């Protein structure tokens, strides 16, 4: 689950390479590309570079090199194993650390959604006005947790694999969207899904309810991606007893209020209540300063990672277009030669009958 954050340099089960390559998400990338979620090891760097080059050329063909230069730069940094590190207050514990990094995006631990002059956050203010509807639907769900556990998908599951070391066993989620909307869980929360998709038109890529047990927290870590921001809508929290700290700035959740923050900064949480769970609606969404074509390119990368056949289809399309272009060029080159031959025949007295047309007798 939660597989958005990093696109790797390889394509899983790449039919052209006859090898399995890496798909990694939210990890500390090095030149060995160790993945925390889905990784098939023992991949040759040559195979990775070849599949990465094919994808890069496909991106250029599909979206235009100039239009997605920032995405291509980000992609190439991943291939090199670069990690962006920014310590704005010279405190390494508060650093921004990203291996999936798009340049020139506003980087703040917390984003001010109350400032209406800043574009891209109007939906967050609208969502706050619907918080009781979402809270009530959630409360009905966990009051009948036995039934929802039987009918829903992955209800209140912990973080998986290596990232569980940071999140711990007491951080649980109920996923509504992981790029695609979960058809089963979405039906269990119809009001919430309608509000998000239609009423406020939330630009989400991930949506899930997150539960933090009493007297537990999440260790300080970075999610490693700066072009996805995170929003929390507090639904049922023990106020003044639970907090989140991002880039050295600590804020407490308030029921019905949104917090928007950048998880490429080091961040941690704590529920200091000894008896109450903390429930928030967690939404991950594209950074508002991304251009639409950049979002489309990033989404294409993720789609290819999920379905490598998409890349094969686009490569085949590129091949056909190239062959068609070459055929047209060949025809253009041949046309002057044909005209010359016809002129030579006419000069030798060869005649052609005029075609029948308007005014012909």
């Amino acid at each position: 689950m939660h597989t958005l954050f990093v696109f790797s340099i390889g394509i899983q089960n790449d039919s052209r390479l006859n090898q399995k390559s890496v798909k990694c998400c939210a990890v500390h990338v090095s030149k060995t590309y160790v993945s925390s979620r889905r990784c098939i090891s023992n991949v040759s760097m040559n195979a990775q570079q070849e599949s990465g080059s094919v994808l890069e050329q496909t991106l250029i063909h599909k979206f235009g090199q100039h239009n997605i230069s920032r995405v291509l730069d980000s992609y190439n940094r991943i291939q090199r194993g670069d990690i962006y590190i920014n310590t704005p207050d010279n405190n390494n514990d508060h650093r921004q650390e990203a291996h999936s990094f798009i340049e020139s995006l506003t980087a703040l631990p917390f984003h001010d959604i109350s400032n209406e002059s800043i574009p891209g956050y109007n939906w967050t203010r609208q969502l706050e006005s619907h918080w009781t509807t979402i809270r009530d639907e959630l409360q009905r769900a966990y009051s009948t947790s036995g039934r929802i556990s039987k009918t829903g998908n992955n209800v209140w599951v912990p973080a998986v694999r290596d990232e569980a070391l940071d999140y711990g066993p007491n951080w649980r989620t109920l996923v509504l969207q992981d790029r695609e909307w979960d058809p089963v869980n979405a039906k269990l929360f119809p009001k919430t899904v309608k509000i998000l998709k239609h009423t406020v038109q939330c630009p989400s890529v991930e949506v899930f309810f997150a539960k933090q047990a009493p007297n537990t927290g999440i260790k300080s870590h970075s999610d490693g991606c700066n072009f996805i921001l995170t929003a929390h809508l507090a639904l049922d929290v023990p106020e003044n007893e639970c907090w989140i700290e991002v880039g050295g700035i600590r804020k407490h959740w308030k029921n019905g209020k949104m917090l928007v923050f950048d998880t490429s900064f080091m961040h941690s949480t704590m529920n200091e209540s000894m008896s109450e769970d903390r429930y928030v609606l967690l939404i991950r969404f594209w950074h508002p300063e991304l251009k639409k074509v950049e979002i489309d390119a990033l989404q294409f990368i993720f789609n290819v990672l999920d379905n490598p056949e998409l890349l094969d289809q686009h490569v085949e399309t590129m091949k056909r277009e190239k062959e068609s272009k070459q055929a047209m060029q060949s025809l253009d080159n041949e046309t002057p030669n044909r005209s010359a031959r016809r002129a030579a025949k006419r000069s030798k007295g060869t005649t052609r009958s005029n075609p029948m047309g308007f005014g012909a007798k």
Side-chain angles (χ1 to χ4, degrees):
M1 57 179 268
H2 317 324
T3 58
L4 182 65
F5 303 115
V6 178
F7 45 85
S8 74
I9 66 170
I11 307 299
Q12 281 188 319
N13 300 319
D14 194 317
S15 59
R16 295 176 305 283
L17 303 178
N18 195 28
Q19 295 198 47
K20 295 182 184 293
S21 55
V22 181
K23 180 176 184 181
C24 33
C25 300
V27 299
H28 293 283
V29 175
S30 67
K31 291 185 178 180
T32 56
Y33 286 87
V34 179
S35 172
S36 69
R37 285 183 173 85
R38 281 181 263 175
C39 179
I40 302 172
S41 59
N42 300 322
V43 182
S44 72
M45 286 302 293
N46 288 337
Q48 293 181 20
Q49 290 167 357
E50 183 176 343
S51 63
S53 177
V54 171
L55 180 53
E56 183 176 357
Q57 292 304 312
T58 304
L59 288 167
I60 292 171
H61 175 266
K62 187 174 177 63
F63 300 103
Q65 185 167 4
H66 176 72
N67 295 330
I68 59 166
S69 59
R70 294 196 300 181
V71 174
L72 295 172
D73 289 344
S74 177
Y75 188 76
N76 287 324
R77 279 192 292 270
I78 288 176
Q79 293 193 71
R80 295 193 301 268
D82 295 348
I83 298 177
Y84 174 84
I85 296 178
N86 174 33
T87 53
D89 62 356
N90 295 318
N91 187 329
N92 194 52
D93 291 336
H94 303 161
R95 70 187 180 278
Q96 181 187 22
E97 180 177 310
H99 34 76
S100 285
F101 180 78
I102 299 288
E103 292 180 341
S104 303
L105 298 180
T106 297
L108 298 168
F110 287 94
H111 287 249
D112 182 10
I113 63 173
S114 65
N115 188 344
E116 296 185 9
S117 66
I118 302 176
Y121 299 107
N122 185 51
W123 65 271
T124 63
R125 295 184 291 272
Q126 293 178 11
L127 190 60
E128 287 181 338
S129 66
H130 297 277
W131 82 275
T132 55
T133 301
I134 299 172
R135 177 204 61 192
D136 293 347
E137 195 166 51
L138 174 64
Q139 287 180 339
R140 282 193 295 271
Y142 64 69
S143 65
T144 58
S145 57
R147 181 180 63 83
I148 198 172
S149 295
K150 293 178 181 178
T151 57
N153 283 334
N154 300 316
V155 176
W156 301 130
V157 294
V160 294
R161 300 189 178 96
D162 290 350
E163 69 271 20
L165 297 176
D166 292 325
Y167 285 82
N170 298 296
W171 184 80
R172 303 292 181 109
T173 64
L174 196 164
V175 175
L176 299 180
Q177 180 192 20
D178 189 354
R179 281 181 280 160
E180 301 293 332
W181 289 91
D182 186 301
V184 174
N185 290 351
K187 288 182 179 179
L188 297 174
F189 298 91
K191 294 179 181 179
T192 298
V193 172
K194 181 180 178 181
I195 290 169
L196 291 169
K197 292 177 67 174
H198 304 295
T199 306
V200 306
Q201 298 182 349
C202 173
S204 60
V205 288
E206 291 186 70
V207 178
F208 52 92
F209 296 107
K211 176 173 71 171
Q212 186 74 59
N215 198 31
T216 66
I218 298 175
K219 295 179 180 179
S220 182
H221 68 287
S222 166
D223 287 340
C225 175
N226 82 321
F227 53 80
I228 295 290
L229 298 180
T230 299
H232 281 187
L233 175 61
L235 299 175
D236 189 359
V237 304
E239 293 189 1
N240 301 317
E241 292 185 285
C242 54
W243 49 262
I244 180 169
E245 184 169 304
V246 184
I249 300 173
R250 181 175 295 187
K251 294 195 175 187
H252 288 78
W253 287 283
K254 301 292 183 182
N255 284 314
K257 297 299 181 182
M258 297 278 292
L259 292 176
V260 171
F261 48 95
D262 184 340
T263 58
S264 65
F265 286 89
M266 299 298 290
H267 60 284
S268 59
T269 71
M270 188 66 195
N271 179 7
E272 296 175 336
S273 170
M274 302 305 293
S275 59
E276 295 183 50
D277 291 325
R278 181 227 65 184
Y279 292 91
V280 300
L281 180 69
L282 191 154
I283 301 166
R284 289 180 175 136
F285 61 100
W286 299 110
H287 196 296
E289 293 171 9
L290 287 171
K291 297 182 294 185
K292 183 181 183 304
V293 67
E294 292 174 323
I295 293 173
D296 291 343
L298 291 167
Q299 187 62 62
F300 177 75
I301 294 172
F302 300 133
N303 292 342
V304 165
L305 291 174
D306 281 340
N307 182 10
E309 292 182 359
L310 288 175
L311 187 59
D312 293 325
Q313 295 169 8
H314 282 277
V315 169
E316 188 62 31
T317 299
M318 291 165 59
K319 181 180 178 182
R320 288 196 300 267
E321 290 181 0
K322 182 178 180 181
E323 291 172 349
S324 177
K325 184 177 180 180
Q326 289 174 340
M328 291 297 294
Q329 289 176 341
S330 177
L331 184 62
D332 290 341
N333 293 334
E334 188 177 343
T335 299
N337 295 331
R338 287 179 177 176
S339 299
R341 287 196 297 269
R342 290 169 183 163
K345 287 181 180 181
R346 286 194 294 270
S347 68
K348 293 178 180 179
T350 304
T351 61
R352 285 184 65 188
S353 58
N354 290 326
M356 297 294 290
F358 293 111
K361 300 295 184 180

